[in-house]
Amino acid sequence: MMMDQMVKQLRHLYNNLLILLFILGLSSCDFTPGLNRDILNAQEYVDNQDFAKAVELYERVLKKNPSKVIKTKINYQLADIYYLYLNEQVKALNYYQYIVDNEENPLFQVKAMEKIADINFTFSKNYPEAIRVYKILMNFKPRFKQYDYYFLRVGEAYFEMGKYEKAREIFTQILSQPANPHYVEAYHQLGLIEFYNKNWDKAVEYWMEYLKRERRRDQIINVKFLIANAYESNEKLKEAYNIYYSLLPVYPNPDVLRARLKSVYARRVARKR
């Protein structure tokens, strides 16, 4: 939290400094009146939330090959616009990479790398690249406050790639650290690994431990559904039916539950015959 506040303060100072440079014309000899006008107009578009026009103007400025300080500022603006406002996160990658390669302030470099890792993990599903960037962040000394989160993400990326043993090693290590902020989530993830490996009883065992510790209602509901699914897959149809039925008043998609209940009931009837 403290690092985030520091970054926000530094970004605020950074933005004010650049605006001052723009106004006073101290940045470099390429700071022409036309360039000045385009930058100020682009910022006005951002303030008015007309992000498409802001992007168009900022790109026009970049084509004029302005000074490095202006390029860095604009690349940060474009990255944030694509990432935060236009919902085109993958397009932000090149702009954040420019920050990593050219920004002299390490705090801004780190925040850009965090965005690059998140985009590769969450939006482009490029898990090997996400792992690569998270591992770079993990190797900084002293460790960043977000180290445990990076480690969790690496485990989740291995899981998404189907590399369950590598993922298991990471989540097991987290489980050996009760003070780890992702300790409870490790039970969830290990349950998923066992579920996908068709070790239904072991999956349920992990998820039961998870439910003892989790407090978020939506997560509890989701994991109870997974437990019912594991029971169903393991032919424990009575247990599965009871859990599905108990979730009917709270599950966000009751039609899915009704379909599962109907299927489980039919299988139980067929078994009795």
Side-chain angles (χ1 to χ4, degrees):
M1 185 66 68
M2 186 176 295
M3 177 174 285
D4 289 340
Q5 291 175 347
M6 186 181 299
V7 169
K8 289 179 181 178
Q9 291 173 355
L10 286 171
R11 285 192 66 178
H12 180 69
L13 292 173
Y14 181 73
N15 288 339
N16 288 343
L17 175 61
L18 284 172
I19 292 171
L20 181 63
L21 289 174
F22 295 157
I23 294 173
L24 298 178
L26 297 177
S27 60
S28 73
C29 61
D30 66 0
F31 193 78
T32 63
L35 190 68
N36 178 26
R37 184 171 55 253
D38 284 344
I39 291 171
L40 295 178
N41 286 341
Q43 186 57 50
E44 186 175 347
Y45 283 133
V46 171
D47 293 341
N48 293 328
Q49 299 187 18
D50 193 342
F51 300 113
K53 287 185 177 179
V55 166
E56 182 181 347
L57 266 182
Y58 279 135
E59 293 287 7
R60 183 191 305 171
V61 173
L62 288 179
K63 289 179 181 178
K64 295 179 181 179
N65 196 28
S67 63
K68 182 178 177 180
V69 67
I70 296 176
K71 280 184 181 179
T72 304
K73 160 68 175 175
I74 291 175
N75 272 271
Y76 224 133
Q77 286 283 67
L78 286 168
D80 282 350
I81 288 172
Y82 279 121
Y83 184 87
L84 297 172
Y85 304 115
L86 292 182
N87 199 29
E88 297 184 71
Q89 288 81 4
V90 176
K91 285 188 177 181
L93 277 173
N94 289 337
Y95 301 104
Y96 282 127
Q97 188 61 52
Y98 184 93
I99 303 303
V100 173
D101 296 337
N102 293 278
E103 174 60 68
E104 296 180 359
N105 188 316
L107 287 177
F108 292 123
Q109 288 180 315
V110 168
K111 299 308 289 186
M113 289 182 68
E114 288 178 337
K115 291 292 197 304
I116 289 171
D118 179 60
I119 291 168
N120 278 295
F121 181 94
T122 306
F123 301 101
S124 66
K125 311 298 182 184
N126 186 347
Y127 299 114
E129 181 62 13
I131 290 172
R132 185 188 72 82
V133 180
Y134 279 126
K135 285 186 174 181
I136 291 174
L137 290 165
M138 289 168 60
N139 284 332
F140 276 88
K141 303 295 182 184
R143 285 183 176 182
F144 292 131
K145 185 178 179 180
Q146 292 281 55
Y147 177 92
D148 291 328
Y149 175 74
Y150 305 151
F151 192 51
L152 174 75
R153 280 298 216 188
V154 170
E156 291 175 334
Y158 279 132
F159 174 82
E160 293 295 341
M161 294 167 65
K163 296 186 176 182
Y164 298 135
E165 288 310 309
K166 284 181 177 275
R168 189 199 306 276
E169 289 177 10
I170 289 175
F171 298 131
T172 300
Q173 185 172 333
I174 293 174
L175 210 58
S176 70
Q177 305 164 353
N180 190 302
H182 307 292
Y183 173 78
V184 176
E185 180 58 23
Y187 281 108
H188 183 198
Q189 296 295 332
L190 285 165
L192 287 173
I193 291 172
E194 299 301 341
F195 183 85
Y196 278 89
N197 282 328
K198 299 183 179 181
N199 298 324
W200 317 118
D201 288 337
K202 191 65 177 177
V204 169
E205 182 181 328
Y206 278 123
W207 285 332
M208 288 298 189
E209 291 299 320
Y210 174 84
L211 290 178
K212 291 177 184 178
R213 297 164 173 85
E214 182 57 76
R215 295 295 177 264
R216 292 171 295 175
R217 183 172 179 270
D218 59 332
Q219 289 299 105
I220 291 171
I221 291 170
N222 289 335
V223 169
K224 284 184 176 180
F225 180 86
L226 288 173
I227 290 172
N229 202 275
Y231 280 141
E232 183 181 355
S233 300
N234 203 21
E235 295 298 322
K236 295 182 178 181
L237 301 181
K238 180 180 179 180
E239 291 88 340
Y241 188 93
N242 289 341
I243 293 178
Y244 285 139
Y245 188 81
S246 72
L247 291 173
L248 266 177
V250 294
Y251 197 71
N253 192 343
D255 289 340
V256 169
L257 281 185
R258 293 188 185 98
R260 300 301 335 134
L261 285 166
K262 183 177 180 180
S263 174
V264 171
Y265 180 78
R267 289 168 62 187
R268 290 181 70 186
V269 170
R271 178 184 289 178
K272 290 179 180 178
R273 290 175 183 171

